[in-house]
Amino acid sequence: MGHIIAVHSASGGAGCTTVAVNLAARFPMHGARSLLIDLSLPYADVGVMLNLRSSATVIDALADSTDPEHLEACTTVYENGLRVLTAPSHPADADQITSEQVEKLLTLAADLYDFIVVDVGHHLNKTALTVIDMASVIVLVILPTLTGVKNARLALDLFKQMAYSSDKIVTVVNHVDDALASKKLNIDTKRIEQYLRVTLDARLPNDTDSALGALNKGIPSVFRHGADDKSLDTALIHLSDFVFKMLVYGEDETPPPAVKLGSSAERTPRRSSRPQSPIGREAGPTISVFIVDEIPETAANLIKLLAFESDFKVVGAAASGAEGIEKALSLQPDIILLDAALPDIDGTALAKRLLTELPTAAIIMMGVLSTVEVLQKAVQSGARHYLVKPIAPDELYQSIRAAYQSHSATIHFDAAPLQESVRHASASTSGLNLRLTPDKNAALELPSVEEARMSNLPTRGLFSYDYHSGGGSPAPQAAPPEMQRTLFSAYYPRQAFAGRKHGLYVYAHVEAAAAQMQQDIGKFKEELGGTIPQARSAKQTAQVAFGTLITITPECEELQFEPASLTKRWRGPFTRFDFDFYPTEEPIDETVIVRVSVRIAGIEVAFIRCGIDIAAESAASIHVAPEDDNPLAAARFASQHAEKYQRIFISYSHKDTEVARAYRLAQVAMGNEVFIDVDGLHAGENWQAALARAIDTADIFQLFWSPNYAESEFCRYEWDYALKYRCADDGCESFIRPVYWVDPIPAPPPQELSHLNFKFVPFSQKA
């Protein structure tokens, strides 16, 4: 269920719209789906501030508050993926909007988006009160004038009467100007706090140049870079990140039960403590960070995450060990984020060399593995911390600060915490299962096993252990309840027709949810072609915390997906991501490969490859009744209801290996088992007997006809064996499938195969 954020001011001109626009525009940078709704009526400015021209407005969206597709269609998409519902163009139209309509709209939006930011302006009408009551957070924007502070006090008194928790309200003072306050032309923030009896959460400076520049260019301030830490741009970035962390990371340790969007009590955020206010940040030293990672996307995501924190400065990045050494020695960073697997040198070997030549730097290693051997290498390399990808933002931030502080105190590296973990993990008296469990609150240096057992310190972000004595059953040392090993599976039709809508359904799920998934996917039988196919699963799994945002993106140039990407929050035991797709006209009679990418915090953690046969629409429109006495029609009906084949034997000349392997990849992606001799035969095996068994057990004999094939004696043995021993009764008419890819056919087929239909398939054009 998404979070609703109501942005309200008790005075006009306080900058309510500026705050709402920048809050919403920043959230997609965290990988979240964000919707901005302009209800600052009757005069609204969100569309102007974002330079948007909308064909539909909130009035159109309210016409049907039950249809997700209708809501999406009424939104206008900003360049970073933010969706916007603009206000009606004529002020008189505001009278058409009722509080009941708004409640239904927000209920629907909360199921579709992670964050719904609503600019309610400064008029407290019934519609505005409905939004405020449903909100998870109220951002109260205060004008530092006598009337502004007086009205803010009235608003806070009203919220208290409505029994809102103080944790639900974020207080923001805009247009802060110490020079004006010193001249008694503005009220200073200390007096505002005393009068309102609150601790302010954020102060936005009176930065006219930045505000007007953002307004006139239609670019939110959070996309701009302020001249210094006192700029409006920087303050708005801190405010947005403060609200984001407040909602995403500030919840109780125990996952709350699912609640239906309704009363304000149900929507109040459940959190043990609020994150540090932007005002409360003490200026500290800037920590310079250098990144060494082979994958450019990973480095780019780390740079984005680090840009959210004002005390970090990324000074450079490298994609190889050689480049990393050269740049690190030149840049002299405080912290080096080092990938454990580089293309030219092992990460641990590189860490040793870097620490020898650059002892002033602290190294934090990163990797996808979390085995005892990896820990041992980390100890030996001198790394201060080891982070397992994907890396949670707060885990990254805290590990960098902890490494910097401890390394600044002494250049000597104390490896005791890592060594203690490895010593316990290696002990022969215990059997261990090592897993990663990230937590924003975790101390990032690894404690010993005994420390982890005896203390109540949070262990997410560390390596936690399940251990038991030699042949016994594992002790009930379960992972924290909010962490679950999550699998990723996709259901999709094995055949799709041009011009027709089909469904792709991707599940994030725990292993025990298989039966529930089967029941759930049954609702989409028609979209899947009339049958429920076997799911295709990713080889990778991930430890996912309750409430984590998961983004699914299907990728295929030949198919059009709606939506292009989906982000939802993991609630367990399964979360479904629904996509519609339409084949284009180009790939008719071809197999296309869909790559389904799974990302957490912007980093890919898994992927699924799906193969789909594309056919013309006319092939789908033929319907034949089983009682039809036409033999062609009967054959057609039988073929339509035949089971999909599973095992394919590829018969080809080794000079055509490239074509055969390309075909094999496509079929494997569809879930079919493919035998190709170069991969299916083992050393020392009787290859002739193995080939015969493969032909006997195959459902399809895929013959790749070419001049090379026609001249090969071994290829002749294969099809001759099939004709004589595999399907002698019917001449292998449905078993042997000959294809050729050079037109005209390069060599006449032998007489024994002349009864078969040789089909032209232009493989060479795809290469």
Side-chain angles (χ1 to χ4, degrees), residues 380-404:
Q380 295 164 1
S381 71
R384 287 196 169 265
H385 303 290
Y386 184 94
L387 302 176
V388 179
K389 299 177 181 178
I391 304 169
D394 282 346
E395 180 189 355
L396 176 67
Y397 303 153
Q398 292 190 22
S399 64
I400 291 176
R401 293 185 180 113
Y404 176 78

Side-chain angles (χ1 to χ4, degrees), residues 242-463:
F242 170 73
V243 174
F244 177 83
K245 293 176 181 179
M246 178 181 177
L247 292 171
V248 175
Y249 298 124
E251 297 183 349
D252 292 336
E253 292 301 318
T254 302
V259 295
K260 182 180 179 181
L261 183 64
S263 69
S264 59
E266 290 173 330
R267 297 297 304 177
T268 300
R270 296 164 293 273
R271 52 185 179 273
S272 54
S273 61
R274 295 172 67 155
Q276 184 183 16
S277 165
I279 293 178
R281 295 171 185 255
E282 295 185 2
T286 300
I287 304 172
S288 58
V289 181
F290 180 64
I291 301 168
V292 185
D293 198 295
E294 177 188 7
I295 304 175
E297 291 80 8
T298 301
N301 281 310
L302 289 171
I303 292 172
K304 289 180 182 178
L305 290 176
L306 294 174
F308 293 155
E309 301 295 303
S310 58
D311 55 336
F312 298 145
K313 180 181 180 181
V314 178
V315 295
S320 66
E323 183 185 8
I325 293 173
E326 181 182 355
K327 287 187 175 181
L329 294 177
S330 172
L331 296 169
Q332 300 280 307
D334 298 316
I335 299 291
I336 299 175
L337 296 177
L338 178 60
D339 188 49
L342 294 169
D344 57 341
I345 185 174
D346 179 71
T348 53
L350 178 60
K352 293 178 183 178
R353 181 173 173 183
L354 284 170
L355 289 174
T356 300
E357 300 187 29
L358 191 63
T360 56
I363 291 179
I364 298 173
M365 297 203 69
M366 310 175 294
V368 296
L369 300 178
S370 55
T371 62
V372 174
E373 290 76 15
V374 168
L375 274 176
Q376 290 173 332
K377 286 188 175 182
V379 171
Q380 295 164 1
S381 71
R384 287 196 169 265
H385 303 290
Y386 184 94
L387 302 176
V388 179
K389 299 177 181 178
I391 304 169
D394 282 346
E395 180 189 355
L396 176 67
Y397 303 153
Q398 292 190 22
S399 64
I400 291 176
R401 293 185 180 113
Y404 176 78
Q405 291 169 4
S406 60
H407 201 73
S408 299
T410 172
I411 298 299
H412 172 68
F413 171 59
D414 179 11
L418 276 172
Q419 290 172 339
E420 182 72 2
S421 294
V422 174
R423 182 176 66 80
H424 284 275
S426 305
S428 59
T429 58
S430 297
L432 303 178
N433 294 320
L434 199 57
R435 67 174 181 278
L436 176 72
T437 50
D439 187 344
K440 68 186 183 70
N441 298 315
L444 294 174
E445 293 202 25
L446 302 179
S448 68
V449 173
E450 291 303 318
E451 291 169 339
R453 292 185 68 187
M454 301 304 296
S455 72
N456 291 321
L457 291 174
T459 56
R460 296 164 58 194
L462 310 177
F463 296 95

Side-chain angles (χ1 to χ4, degrees), residues 680-734:
L681 297 177
H682 306 289
E685 186 178 18
N686 184 330
W687 65 271
Q688 292 176 329
L691 286 177
R693 283 195 303 271
I695 295 172
D696 289 339
T697 58
D699 300 306
I700 292 293
F701 184 102
Q702 189 62 62
L703 188 155
F704 285 85
W705 183 257
S706 71
N708 298 323
Y709 190 98
E711 296 173 359
S712 171
E713 184 178 10
F714 294 105
C715 293
R716 182 181 180 89
Y717 288 154
E718 292 172 356
W719 60 255
D720 183 68
Y721 176 87
L723 286 172
K724 292 179 178 178
Y725 301 103
R726 175 59 174 79
C727 43
D729 295 339
D730 62 1
C732 294
E733 290 184 355
S734 61

Side-chain angles (χ1 to χ4, degrees), residues 741-756:
W741 57 95
V742 178
D743 197 15
I745 191 166
Q751 182 64 32
E752 294 90 334
L753 299 176
S754 60
H755 64 290
L756 301 176

Side-chain angles (χ1 to χ4, degrees), residues 233-243 278 281 308-310:
D233 305 339
T234 302
L236 285 167
I237 289 172
H238 287 166
L239 172 61
S240 180
D241 291 350
F242 170 73
V243 174
R281 295 171 185 255
F308 293 155
E309 301 295 303
S310 58

